[in-house]
Amino acid sequence: MTTFAISAADGLGELEDQDLTFVIDLSREQIDVYGTRWSWTGDTDTDGTPFMRTGDDTPQRLSHVHWTAGPLIPAPRPVTRAEALAAIAVPACTAAEAQAGAPSPTPLTFARFANRLRLRGRSA
């Protein structure tokens, strides 16, 4: 796993006194707040900042991408065949565990609860 850390002290004004650091896993594809997927080109600039690319666009510094379109989050990875088979083979709970638990609320109980929340919001 290749990572790169970006400090929040760079250009956040009122947050400069806080210790905020974003660690980005470069081995995975990253998604910005607009849904664009970014991947590391494998290159860095003279300061060691990685270059990120989306599609056929010109590579951009990771710090620029992070502050203009971020924060970046890792893209979900596909489920492997072994993980899918394991999820199917192992039940979430047994019938005995399901019956031993508390009874499920009825739709009427849920409707009354939702109505209390709605009424509470009007009086506030």
Side-chain angles (χ1 to χ4, degrees):
M1 177 166 95
T2 305
T3 60
F4 184 77
I6 297 176
S7 173
D10 301 332
L12 283 184
E14 69 277 358
L15 297 179
E16 286 185 7
D17 60 337
Q18 296 184 16
D19 184 22
L20 297 173
T21 302
F22 298 96
V23 178
I24 298 169
D25 182 2
L26 298 174
S27 63
R28 293 184 61 184
E29 196 174 46
Q30 301 290 320
I31 301 175
D32 66 20
V33 295
Y34 304 107
T36 305
R37 292 177 175 258
W38 295 87
S39 57
W40 182 36
T41 62
D43 298 326
T44 59
D45 65 3
T46 56
D47 297 337
T49 304
F51 283 108
M52 303 294 281
R53 170 179 278 161
T54 180
D56 292 331
D57 291 345
T58 304
Q60 298 180 31
R61 291 177 53 146
L62 174 59
S63 55
H64 175 76
V65 172
H66 185 75
W67 296 118
T68 59
L72 300 175
I73 60 169
R77 63 173 180 75
V79 176
T80 65
R81 178 174 168 77
E83 291 170 337
L85 291 174
I88 293 170
V90 178
C93 66
T94 63
E97 291 171 334
Q99 290 178 358
S104 300
T106 64
L108 180 60
T109 305
F110 181 75
R112 287 179 179 158
F113 174 70
N115 193 34
R116 280 200 317 255
L117 290 176
R118 186 171 44 89
L119 293 175
R120 196 175 288 167
R122 288 185 183 172
S123 64

